[in-house]
Amino acid sequence: MRETYLKKESRENKQLPKVKINQMRQVNANGLLIPALGQGGWRIGDDPARAESEIAAIRRGIELGANLIDTAEMYGGGRSELLIGRALRGIPRDKYILVSKVYPHNADRNNMFKSCEASLRRLGTDYLDLYLLHWRGSVPLEETVWCMEKLVREGKIRRWGVSNFDTPDMQELWQIPGGKNCAVNQVLYNITSRGIEYDLIPWCEEHNVAIMAYCPLAQAGSLRRMNVDVRTEPTIAAVAQKYGATVMQVMLAFVLKKSCVCAIPKAGSVAHIEENVAATQLEIADEDWGMLDCVYWPPSCKMHLDIE
Ligand code: NAP
């Protein structure tokens, strides 16, 4: 078993526990194994002054086993894919898992193949591990699935999935020829937004579709749900303090509790990615999860899918 220890001096926060990083837990995405913790790519590459820090974070994350990188043709109009392509240069292709997403209006016979080629070019690779429909648009699902399956046959993508699909969308997808080959559903999930626990997570678990949690850190507090700023809310802070962890680590540990869920927090510095990877080792007792449940109630009825 590979064992890596986080270098103490590279952490910003000296409160962090000395966490031993073992082999990253893998999530089964309909036969494709993906790491429980990956890295988000939204807003990466937007600020040239942050580029070197972002590149270093991506490379460090891969070293630590957080080797799934998520991006989209939408992000910065291709800037995210370009920056990620730069970060991956020189790393053997089988050492990371690349995910990109196609705009709904490009997810048809006329545009999807060109979109995929453009993403591959920006990323500097000849295949994607996962290609996702970013959200549902007006193109019939049958047509998008047909294109995805053709891309798989052509070796341009290994597998495909969807994003921002609620349970009825997944049920509809399952009725379409080839629809059952969907490997992941990327959706918003964090402790302040738990609606998918009611029906979508159980449905995906039953059908071997991995949930890829986006905004798992509630954008470090700037994404407000339940009127909560997670940076200052006292219950998470108390649990974090008890375990010598940070609030962001407790946020991640929450999302990673379920075996069919992986998370893709965006980290723009080595310190942040190291802190996030260390969270995969955090074991929080049931009584403390119970305390958090009292503030962040699990859903008791169907809720609308939360979307950012
Ligand atoms: P997020 O991952 O919840 O939060 C990102 C923010 O958290 C950044 O400001 C980052 O700052 C900060 N951060 C990361 N690690 C931290 C740490 N250890 N301590 C303190 N702050 C930390 O939000 P997100 O980027 O919106 O979502 C994650 C990814 O999901 C995106 O990047 C994207 O790939 C994907 N996504 C998909 C959809 C969709 O519709 N499919 C929608 C939204 C997002 P630094 O940059 O300074 O590290």
Side-chain angles (χ1 to χ4, degrees), residues 41-42 50 70 163-164 186 214 217 219 264 266 268 272 276:
W42 190 21
R50 295 200 72 190
D70 176 72
S163 177
N164 298 304
Q186 186 180 109
Y214 74 71
L217 304 175
Q219 297 182 337
I264 48 166
K266 178 254 182 180
H272 279 173
N276 297 345

Side-chain angles (χ1 to χ4, degrees), residues 14-300:
K14 302 295 181 206
Q15 296 293 315
L16 285 177
K18 287 179 197 155
V19 184
K20 190 171 74 174
I21 307 301
N22 289 317
Q23 191 87 45
M24 178 72 68
R25 176 170 70 78
Q26 302 290 297
V27 173
N28 185 349
N30 208 342
L32 178 74
L33 290 182
I34 57 177
L37 189 81
Q39 305 185 58
W42 190 21
R43 300 199 177 104
I44 270 184
D46 282 358
D47 178 0
R50 295 200 72 190
E52 290 314 314
S53 173
E54 290 166 346
I55 287 172
I58 291 169
R59 295 178 73 90
R60 181 68 176 137
I62 291 171
E63 257 172 34
L64 293 174
N67 65 341
L68 179 146
I69 322 292
D70 176 72
T71 183
E73 63 175 345
M74 184 183 95
Y75 298 163
R79 280 196 302 271
S80 166
E81 290 178 326
L82 282 171
L83 190 281
I84 290 167
R86 269 177 69 195
L88 297 175
R89 224 170 276 158
I91 303 178
R93 182 62 184 85
D94 62 349
K95 297 293 181 216
Y96 54 85
I97 291 176
L98 259 184
V99 185
S100 194
K101 300 188 276 296
V102 61
Y103 266 124
H105 60 260
N106 283 339
D108 64 7
R109 282 187 177 84
N110 291 332
N111 296 297
M112 194 146 130
F113 303 103
K114 285 180 260 177
S115 272
C116 185
E117 282 300 339
S119 287
L120 293 175
R121 205 168 42 246
R122 286 188 291 266
L123 287 160
T125 184
D126 50 11
Y127 71 94
L128 295 171
D129 295 277
L130 274 165
Y131 199 32
L132 313 184
L133 172 61
H134 209 147
W135 65 91
R136 243 189 119 164
S138 55
V139 176
L141 273 183
E142 286 85 347
E143 185 169 343
T144 301
V145 170
W146 183 87
C147 296
M148 290 286 191
E149 290 287 312
K150 187 163 186 290
L151 285 168
V152 171
R153 284 194 302 278
E154 290 172 350
K156 302 286 182 189
I157 64 175
R158 283 173 72 201
R159 299 294 299 270
W160 61 269
V162 294
S163 177
N164 298 304
F165 269 42
D166 204 349
T167 312
D169 301 310
M170 294 304 295
Q171 286 165 336
E172 202 180 317
L173 183 62
W174 243 238
Q175 302 309 312
I176 286 167
K180 293 187 176 69
N181 291 331
C182 173
V184 308
N185 185 10
Q186 186 180 109
V187 284
L188 194 158
Y189 182 46
N190 65 55
I191 198 167
T192 68
S193 181
R194 301 180 60 173
I196 63 170
E197 288 174 26
Y198 186 76
D199 58 341
L200 186 61
I201 291 183
W203 191 95
C204 286
E205 196 162 25
E206 191 188 333
H207 294 85
N208 291 321
V209 176
I211 293 279
M212 192 176 281
Y214 74 71
C215 300
L217 304 175
Q219 297 182 337
S222 51
L223 186 75
R224 303 277 165 87
R225 297 293 188 258
M226 304 168 63
N227 245 343
V228 165
D229 179 345
V230 291
R231 285 168 300 190
T232 51
E233 193 282 307
T235 320
I236 304 188
V239 172
Q241 191 180 24
K242 178 171 173 183
Y243 290 86
T246 64
V247 164
M248 293 302 140
Q249 287 182 314
V250 174
M251 299 278 294
L252 278 179
F254 168 80
V255 166
L256 297 177
K257 261 198 313 173
K258 296 195 188 310
S259 61
C260 69
V261 178
C262 70
I264 48 166
K266 178 254 182 180
S269 65
V270 167
H272 279 173
I273 187 67
E274 289 188 347
E275 183 176 324
N276 297 345
V277 173
T280 63
Q281 300 296 302
L282 194 54
E283 284 180 17
I284 292 176
D286 287 346
E287 64 188 39
D288 295 316
W289 287 130
M291 205 160 79
L292 287 164
D293 279 348
C294 293
V295 178
Y296 304 99
W297 285 96
S300 55

